[in-house]
Amino acid sequence: MTAPLFVPIFPLPDLTFFPHTFLALHVFEARYRAMVTDCLARDKRMAVVGLRPGYEATYDGKPAVNAVGGVGRIVQWERLATGRYDILLQGECRARIDHEVPSDTLYRVVTATPLGEVGGDDPAAASLADQVRLRCAQILEAVGRASSELRESLDAVSAPGPLCDQIASAVIPRPAVRQALLEELDVRRRLERLSAALDDLHKQLTGGGA
């Protein structure tokens, strides 16, 4: 059984943090500057979780957050003269928030259960990954971002799960779709949902062309 994590949370609107990705953040609020300072003194881990709609009314307190977020480790950081931080997080795992822990810190702390994925070795997942890789390349070409480096980057990720997470993070614009992809632990089903979202996006960009 996977041991629960004891981590601070960084709630952010319209942001989904996936495993196998990097996330650069500029941290300016006092409570989150304190959180980064404490993280760096410990294991450098934090969870990034999406804020639920309507968070604005309680943002300064404890607004509702999604039950599943991404846990990452700070791998690069710079403390600026203003006291702010520039940090780079490396995504390590999905996690489900079990409960919030009473704390005397300015920021919120939770216990969370790491979530593993299943179905990554399903032959259907490998076939879907090829489709997703191709459609992603077509979308990048449609928006003028196609390059040999990007293609090589897509081709370099062979495992279906990490490929799905990286493409979802970089390409899918709708927060609700990204969150659904984060919460889907079955790799084959996640790829199916990603494939459908990429098809819709490609149609929007190209006026319905194949």
Side-chain angles (χ1 to χ4, degrees):
M1 183 176 179
T2 303
L5 298 170
F6 179 78
V7 287
I9 60 170
F10 196 169
L12 291 167
D14 299 334
L15 195 149
T16 312
F17 183 35
F18 289 87
H20 316 110
T21 68
F22 290 91
L23 177 63
L25 294 171
H26 178 68
V27 183
F28 57 89
E29 287 190 53
R31 54 180 164 172
Y32 298 125
R33 296 202 310 261
M35 181 184 72
V36 171
T37 299
D38 291 348
C39 284
L40 292 174
R42 295 194 292 259
D43 64 0
K44 300 182 176 66
R45 280 198 179 99
M46 69 173 68
V48 177
V49 293
L51 288 161
R52 292 187 177 176
Y55 69 88
E56 294 87 352
T58 55
Y59 180 74
D60 291 332
K62 295 184 177 181
V65 298
N66 293 320
V68 175
V71 174
R73 190 187 296 270
I74 302 172
V75 293
Q76 291 181 20
W77 64 92
E78 180 182 5
R79 190 174 189 272
L80 306 177
T82 58
R84 298 182 177 195
Y85 280 98
D86 286 329
I87 64 173
L88 182 67
L89 289 173
Q90 182 175 12
E92 292 189 337
C93 67
R94 293 164 164 79
R96 182 186 65 247
I97 295 175
D98 298 320
H99 62 271
E100 191 161 340
V101 179
S103 172
D104 60 0
T105 60
L106 294 170
Y107 52 87
R108 300 159 72 182
V109 180
V110 302
T111 59
T113 300
L115 301 173
E117 60 184 27
V118 298
D121 55 355
D122 185 335
S127 177
L128 282 164
D130 289 338
Q131 295 176 31
V132 162
R133 189 180 284 108
L134 175 60
R135 184 60 88 193
C136 181
Q138 292 171 337
I139 288 170
L140 293 173
E141 184 175 355
V143 297
R145 289 179 53 199
S147 70
S148 58
E149 289 80 8
L150 283 170
R151 255 179 210 282
E152 289 170 5
S153 177
L154 287 173
D155 292 340
V157 185
S158 57
L163 177 73
C164 188
D165 287 343
Q166 291 184 23
I167 291 178
S169 177
V171 179
I172 297 301
R174 291 179 56 199
V177 176
R178 290 200 307 268
Q179 183 64 30
L181 291 167
L182 181 72
E183 294 178 7
E184 179 54 72
L185 302 183
D186 186 289
V187 175
R188 180 183 58 78
R189 288 202 295 265
R190 194 190 312 152
L191 283 162
E192 288 173 345
R193 297 183 77 156
L194 176 60
S195 180
L198 291 173
D199 285 348
D200 289 343
L201 181 57
H202 187 256
K203 289 175 182 176
Q204 293 170 24
L205 292 169
T206 61

